[in-house]
Amino acid sequence: MVRNARTQLFPNVIASGLTYLVAIGIGFVMPRIIYESVGQESLGIWDLGWSFLIYVSFSGIGFGQALSYFIAQKDAERQHAEIGSICATGWWAQCFISLVMAGAFIVVMNLAAASHSENLALMVEIDQITTFLSLTIGVVMFGDIAHGVLIGQHKSRITEYINLVHDVLLAFAMVAVLLLGYGIQGLAIVTFILRVCSELVRYVFAYAVCREMSINPFDVSIEKGVTLLRYSMKTSINVMQDLLVHQSMRLLLFLSMGPLVLAAFSRYATIMRQINRLTERLSVSLSSVTSALVASGAEEEVVSLYVQSTRMAVLISLPLLTVFAVAGDLIVSLWMGPEFVVDHVAVLLAAGALLHANYSISYRLLSGLNAHGRIGLFSIFLSGLGVMAGLSAIESVNAVNTALIVALVLMITVHLPHISFMLFKISANPLRLLFDIYSKPIVINLLFLGVLLLVRWLAFETNDYFAIALVVTGFLGVVWASWQFVLSADLKSRIRGFVLRQDESETGVY
């Protein structure tokens, strides 16, 4: 079963990457369409509700991750008879969590509406989307159980392809309702309808892949419920920490500066979120793989998995962060217009995300080791202190100060503690391991940064074509140098095998 987990990892990662590319394309097109259809203020209102939904969709709050962990473990131990009880217990427990999250969303949106009670049109628009988006959040929470089952069976590519189809259909549906003049209320309605359909399909595939899956209340086990609760509380702590930093600062920015400023800040946050989500989506299978390795007594392979996975995540994220830091304002201006540009936000958010790739891998592996609880509790406590300290040190909650607080709090109170704890858990020499992971990617991206700074100077000197040629050359240089000097021969062989459509069993893992 461990070999099955390892051989499934590479195609699962590829599926996550393909789905991400489609999602990021849609994510850049839709805000512009919404802005041109309903205006910047309505876009800011939609951003407030949509960002909450997106965080819940990808957070794993509740019992979904717990199911994937224990299903992978029981599958590796060949204790298939217990999977049905685990699924049923997790599903019924998730019902309660779904209601709580939907209720929390309603409270947040009502608070946002009350803060602008003098603007009747704004209050009406918030009210129009609150009901449908709260129902959507509940549906997402229910669907996370099927998502966890598929990941536990090392079939995350199925759930990724469901997400891909959902995202494409939702984009067409959103354009249609905007053209018909239904505004952001229409966006909320089609979001709810298509999410219901996609989660039903996810359950169909989950039952097909995992015959032992059950939601029968008679299969519920108090003992397994306690076990699942302990694991899910650890996961939920990390999620609540993320919501504490991102969503609380978004809400405070909305309350302080209004939807127009939030809409501008959200464009930078959207780009940053897409860069971070790439490593998060590519690493989604690592928890179940780690769980299977530990259950089979192959703990020594966890170190190799951590090094190779983190190195790949850093290789992917650093060039994107470099581009965002140097050209973030230009990207936002070309994308949405100069009225959305806010100086310094791109640099601050990019700097705060330098360790996010390592954190993503560390968190996934700690989850697979069932060691993510105390460090999560420690981080959320530090994050709360960090947010309060940041708010007390600034005069007003504007876009720049929001970016500064988010960047510092995440790096100091979330990323560094998780990375340090991961290195401690695998009993590694931290300096040697970090040098092995970061040295070559940093050198490559420093050279790339130099190219981008030269390009920016040339752009000001109106040498546009030469600047574009340098960007293309620099990016290709990053790809070539990463392939030549960073990737292992084993991974190169597997990538070639996948591209050449060789048998999936030959593709293995890093």
Side-chain angles (χ1 to χ4, degrees):
M1 300 308 296
V2 176
R3 176 171 176 76
N4 178 59
R6 290 188 302 226
T7 57
Q8 297 295 329
L9 180 58
F10 193 78
N12 286 338
V13 169
I14 294 297
S16 297
L18 293 175
T19 306
Y20 166 82
L21 291 176
V22 173
I24 195 174
I26 295 172
F28 275 97
V29 171
M30 286 310 305
R32 180 73 189 193
I33 296 175
I34 296 172
Y35 166 59
E36 293 181 348
S37 299
V38 299
Q40 189 171 346
E41 184 173 86
S42 294
L43 175 60
I45 296 170
W46 177 252
D47 281 335
L48 184 64
W50 179 257
S51 63
F52 193 96
L53 172 62
I54 291 299
Y55 272 109
V56 171
S57 300
F58 290 94
S59 66
I61 191 172
F63 291 83
Q65 287 194 27
L67 257 67
S68 66
Y69 171 81
F70 287 106
I71 288 174
Q73 182 186 75
K74 298 302 179 184
D75 197 37
E77 295 172 349
R78 302 186 183 277
Q79 298 181 21
H80 304 288
E82 298 195 27
I83 292 179
S85 179
I86 291 173
C87 293
T89 304
W91 191 87
W92 285 98
Q94 189 79 347
C95 292
F96 174 74
I97 301 295
S98 302
L99 294 175
V100 170
M101 292 302 297
F105 175 78
I106 293 174
V107 171
V108 169
M109 296 302 286
N110 285 335
L111 177 62
S115 69
H116 293 273
S117 56
E118 75 286 351
N119 190 335
L120 182 60
L122 184 148
M123 292 181 66
V124 169
E125 284 198 292
I126 292 177
D127 182 64
Q128 287 176 340
I129 67 173
T130 297
T131 299
F132 289 102
L133 287 185
S134 64
L135 291 173
T136 306
I137 287 171
V139 172
V140 167
M141 298 294 294
F142 281 119
D144 198 48
I145 296 298
H147 178 74
V149 170
L150 290 169
I151 293 177
Q153 292 288 318
H154 310 294
K155 298 291 184 181
S156 66
R157 60 185 176 278
I158 294 177
T159 199
E160 291 289 3
Y161 290 136
I162 293 172
N163 290 337
L164 187 152
V165 174
H166 165 269
D167 290 347
V168 172
L169 292 177
L170 180 59
F172 281 109
M174 283 181 164
V175 172
V177 297
L178 289 173
L179 290 176
L180 293 172
Y182 290 108
I184 60 175
Q185 183 180 28
L187 298 180
I189 292 172
V190 296
T191 298
F192 169 66
I193 293 173
L194 285 173
R195 180 57 72 172
V196 170
C197 295
S198 66
E199 299 310 329
L200 288 174
V201 172
R202 207 183 310 274
Y203 268 98
V204 170
F205 278 98
Y207 273 107
V209 168
C210 182
R211 298 293 183 181
E212 299 88 357
M213 182 180 175
S214 170
I215 60 172
N216 188 338
F218 295 104
D219 290 334
V220 172
S221 165
I222 300 297
E223 179 184 356
K224 289 183 175 60
V226 173
T227 302
L228 290 173
L229 180 61
R230 288 174 179 170
Y231 188 95
S232 64
M233 286 179 65
K234 299 175 184 179
T235 302
S236 299
I237 287 171
N238 285 276
V239 174
M240 297 310 297
Q241 167 273 317
D242 195 40
L243 290 173
L244 169 67
V245 178
H246 285 101
Q247 291 306 106
S248 66
M249 292 307 301
R250 278 176 178 268
L251 180 60
L252 289 173
L253 183 60
F254 183 90
L255 298 178
S256 175
M257 305 298 293
L260 295 178
V261 175
L262 178 62
F265 175 81
S266 293
R267 304 289 65 81
Y268 291 90
T270 295
I271 298 173
M272 195 68 262
R273 185 175 66 234
Q274 294 295 352
I275 295 173
N276 290 339
R277 190 174 296 157
L278 175 58
T279 55
E280 292 169 0
R281 293 184 77 154
L282 293 178
S283 64
V284 71
S285 300
L286 291 179
S287 295
S288 57
V289 172
T290 304
S291 175
L293 290 173
V294 174
S296 302
E299 292 91 344
E300 69 281 353
E301 296 191 29
V302 174
V303 178
S304 175
L305 185 65
Y306 169 73
V307 173
Q308 297 292 341
S309 300
T310 305
R311 186 185 294 132
M312 283 298 300
V314 169
L315 275 177
I316 293 170
S317 65
L318 276 186
L320 299 176
L321 292 174
T322 303
V323 171
F324 182 51
V326 174
D329 291 345
L330 176 61
I331 293 171
V332 170
S333 179
L334 293 175
W335 174 27
M336 299 296 297
E339 61 271 26
F340 285 84
V341 174
V342 184
D343 293 337
H344 310 305
V345 171
V347 174
L348 290 172
L349 291 179
L354 287 174
L355 298 178
H356 188 275
N358 196 333
Y359 157 74
S360 296
I361 303 300
S362 298
Y363 173 71
R364 295 294 186 189
L365 268 65
L366 287 172
S367 299
L369 295 170
N370 197 7
H372 57 304
R374 293 180 181 177
I375 187 62
L377 190 62
F378 178 69
S379 284
I380 195 171
F381 175 73
L382 287 183
S383 294
L385 293 179
V387 170
M388 289 189 291
L391 292 174
S392 65
I394 61 176
E395 295 182 357
S396 63
V397 182
N398 55 40
V400 174
N401 288 336
T402 297
L404 177 62
I405 292 174
V406 169
L408 289 176
V409 170
L410 288 178
M411 178 175 284
I412 296 172
T413 71
V414 182
H415 299 165
L416 282 173
H418 278 81
I419 294 169
S420 301
F421 189 60
M422 182 64 209
L423 294 171
F424 169 76
K425 289 296 294 184
I426 60 178
S427 301
N429 182 330
L431 294 179
R432 180 176 180 181
L433 212 60
L434 293 175
F435 180 82
D436 189 28
I437 292 171
Y438 281 101
S439 57
K440 293 178 180 178
I442 286 177
V443 171
I444 292 171
N445 282 279
L446 282 176
L447 295 174
F448 185 46
L449 174 62
V451 171
L452 291 180
L453 292 175
L454 176 60
V455 166
R456 190 167 69 174
W457 178 77
L458 287 173
F460 287 135
E461 297 295 322
T462 69
N463 295 311
D464 296 337
Y465 292 108
F466 187 39
I468 294 173
L470 272 179
V471 170
V472 174
T473 303
F475 179 76
L476 292 177
V478 169
V479 174
W480 175 83
S482 300
W483 180 269
Q484 289 293 121
F485 303 112
V486 184
L487 299 188
S488 65
D490 187 50
L491 180 55
K492 292 178 186 178
S493 175
R494 282 158 173 73
I495 294 174
R496 292 191 190 100
F498 186 85
V499 173
L500 295 174
R501 300 180 183 276
Q502 293 181 359
D503 187 82
E504 186 177 275
S505 63
E506 297 176 4
T507 58
V509 68
Y510 303 122

